[in-house]
Amino acid sequence: MPKQKTHSGAKKRFKVTGTGKIMKQQAGMRHNLEVKSGKRKRSLNKDEVVAPQDRKVIKKLLGI
């Protein structure tokens, strides 16, 4: 039986922690950065846990 391939876009965007949580980069750090404060940019630059509603689909794409 053929193996399930990992979705190439998903493997670039998400990473799985040792405890099994799925992390993603927060939105809002691509443009208009001169308007945003340094505090806001520092907080946006951190990784974020994926919402519970999206976990099932992302796990399927990653082949977990």
Side-chain angles (χ1 to χ4, degrees):
M1 187 151 176
K3 292 182 179 177
Q4 187 69 38
K5 288 192 177 177
T6 304
H7 191 280
S8 358
K11 71 182 174 189
K12 293 170 194 170
R13 287 172 172 83
F14 304 105
K15 66 180 181 183
V16 184
T17 63
T19 55
K21 286 187 276 189
I22 302 170
M23 304 296 285
K24 71 176 183 79
Q25 185 66 44
Q26 289 190 53
M29 278 294 288
R30 292 293 177 200
H31 62 100
N32 296 343
L33 297 175
E34 65 273 7
V35 177
K36 295 163 188 161
S37 68
K39 183 179 177 182
R40 185 169 164 199
K41 286 186 276 191
R42 280 194 302 277
S43 67
L44 285 171
N45 205 24
K46 296 171 185 166
D47 285 352
E48 180 180 54
V49 180
V50 169
Q53 297 87 344
D54 302 326
R55 278 190 206 133
K56 188 177 177 183
V57 179
I58 293 167
K59 280 187 174 183
K60 188 179 176 187
L61 291 172
L62 292 173
I64 300 172

